[in-house]
Amino acid sequence: MKKLYRYIVKSFLGTFLFTFFIVIFILLMQFLWLYIDDMVGKGLETSILLELFFYMSITFVPMALPLALLLASLMCFGNFGEHYELVAMKASGISIWRVMRPLMIFSIFLSGIAFIFSNSIIPVATLKARILLVDVRTQKLAFDIKEGIYYRDIDDYVIYINKKGDDGSHI
């Protein structure tokens, strides 16, 4: 039974990790599309954006874990059924509850880790992500106004710069 349990957990774990990171990526893209207007044209450094994405991906873990667990179990047992491995297990006298036992133990273990993670890490990550998001939203725009050209991207204003200062930032 130990080899069978090891085989089931091994085939489930790869699928679980793959689906978990795919779900995190999808939720992160949803966040990006929601706040893309606040980030574009601000002249943000890549490190700030990566830090924001890191904190937001941590806050998405409670939503991604159940989805990844469900999808991975469906894919794993669907694969077992497609390759007649479930039929072989049933033919050898192993009940379906016994086949699912390692995954139920894994799910209980994962729920305990998720509780600890949600209780201690997610509040800190949420606070840091919200502070960073507010800082990004309130940062002034980094205009790329060229010399000798009319700049019309600000509503109801037209700016003309004859010459910039020696440092390139003063008008």
Side-chain angles (χ1 to χ4, degrees):
M1 287 308 280
K2 287 184 182 181
K3 286 186 179 184
L4 180 65
Y5 286 165
R6 197 175 311 131
Y7 174 69
I8 292 170
V9 169
K10 181 180 160 188
S11 61
F12 175 77
L13 202 57
T15 310
F16 174 74
L17 290 175
F18 178 73
T19 55
F20 177 73
F21 287 116
I22 292 294
V23 170
I24 287 285
F25 177 75
I26 290 170
L27 291 171
L28 200 57
M29 287 299 109
Q30 180 185 4
F31 164 78
L32 182 65
W33 283 114
L34 188 64
Y35 291 104
I36 192 77
D37 294 336
D38 297 332
M39 293 181 216
V40 172
K42 302 272 180 141
L44 298 172
E45 295 178 12
T46 308
S47 62
I48 293 173
L49 289 175
L50 290 177
E51 184 180 358
L52 180 64
F53 292 156
F54 174 72
Y55 288 136
M56 288 310 294
S57 63
I58 288 175
T59 61
F60 292 145
V61 168
M63 288 185 280
L65 271 178
L67 288 170
L69 192 64
L70 175 67
L71 289 173
S73 61
L74 286 173
M75 290 171 65
C76 182
F77 281 103
N79 195 20
F80 286 162
E82 184 178 343
H83 295 287
Y84 297 107
E85 292 169 338
L86 279 177
V87 174
M89 290 176 209
K90 289 291 287 179
S92 64
I94 302 170
S95 70
I96 193 70
W97 294 108
R98 218 150 166 206
V99 171
M100 294 176 66
R101 182 181 295 162
L103 298 183
M104 284 190 268
I105 292 170
F106 178 76
S107 298
I108 292 169
F109 176 72
L110 190 65
S111 66
I113 290 175
F115 174 75
I116 294 169
F117 189 80
S118 295
N119 201 24
S120 60
I121 296 173
I122 290 181
V124 175
T126 303
L127 177 67
K128 289 184 178 184
R130 294 298 174 193
I131 288 172
L132 196 57
L133 188 61
V134 167
D135 288 346
V136 165
R137 287 173 131 182
T138 58
Q139 185 176 3
K140 65 179 182 175
L141 292 174
F143 294 118
D144 187 23
I145 303 174
K146 297 180 175 87
E147 295 176 353
I149 297 175
Y150 288 99
Y151 185 79
R152 294 187 170 105
D153 288 342
I154 303 174
D155 294 336
D156 300 329
Y157 291 99
V158 176
I159 299 174
Y160 179 79
I161 309 262
N162 190 21
K163 186 172 179 173
K164 289 186 180 180
D166 293 336
D167 61 355
S169 63
H170 289 89
I171 299 173

